[in-house]
Amino acid sequence: QVQLVESGGGLVQAGDSLRLSCAASGGTFGSYTAGWFRQVPGKEREFVAAIRWHGGSTYYSDSVKGRFTISRDSAKTTVHLQMNSLKPEDTAVYYCASGRAITSTVRLSSAYTNWGQGTQVTVSS
């Protein structure tokens, strides 16, 4: 199975930017949908953004729309999440995922079958 490896997390100040990357080690994303989720202790994993390989449709949660941008490379090996105007409430562990999610299920963590180990993003005020 392809292993998803996240990178790019760190500690930044409010208003700063970060770019997360998710590399498909040992393969590609193929035709699967790629998504980013985040989780803080004591809360459920929350949908952030997703991109479908066929057509490149993108989806965002209301909390990040206009600030975050998900993108992919043409080789289908890497997905990025550009995060601008970061806020303290964006602090979380960010997970990359892939699966056969479709338009109606892209926001559901259950639609994704392959997950990375996560990368910490901390935004100080």
Side-chain angles (χ1 to χ4, degrees):
Q1 183 175 351
V2 173
Q3 189 174 16
L4 303 182
V5 181
E6 301 100 334
S7 62
L11 171 63
V12 296
Q13 293 187 331
D16 286 350
S17 298
L18 273 178
R19 189 187 195 211
L20 304 184
S21 297
C22 176
S25 176
T28 71
F29 283 90
S31 59
Y32 287 5
T33 296
W36 285 95
F37 288 75
R38 64 188 183 187
Q39 190 170 24
V40 297
K43 292 190 175 182
E44 292 187 356
R45 197 163 291 187
E46 174 192 22
F47 170 77
V48 176
I51 185 167
R52 298 191 66 188
W53 289 113
H54 292 299
S57 297
T58 56
Y59 309 82
Y60 299 94
S61 67
D62 289 342
S63 62
V64 307
K65 193 176 297 183
R67 299 188 297 123
F68 291 12
T69 302
I70 189 170
S71 63
R72 61 183 181 177
D73 71 342
S74 58
K76 299 184 178 181
T77 60
T78 309
V79 174
H80 303 285
L81 185 68
Q82 178 67 41
M83 305 186 295
N84 299 329
S85 303
L86 283 162
K87 304 175 181 180
E89 50 264 44
D90 293 320
T91 296
V93 177
Y94 283 71
Y95 296 91
C96 174
S98 68
R100 297 185 185 279
I102 57 175
T103 300
S104 60
T105 63
V106 290
R107 292 172 173 81
L108 302 178
S109 59
S110 58
Y112 298 82
T113 53
N114 194 12
W115 292 82
Q117 292 191 330
T119 184
Q120 176 70 45
V121 172
T122 303
V123 185
S124 63
S125 58

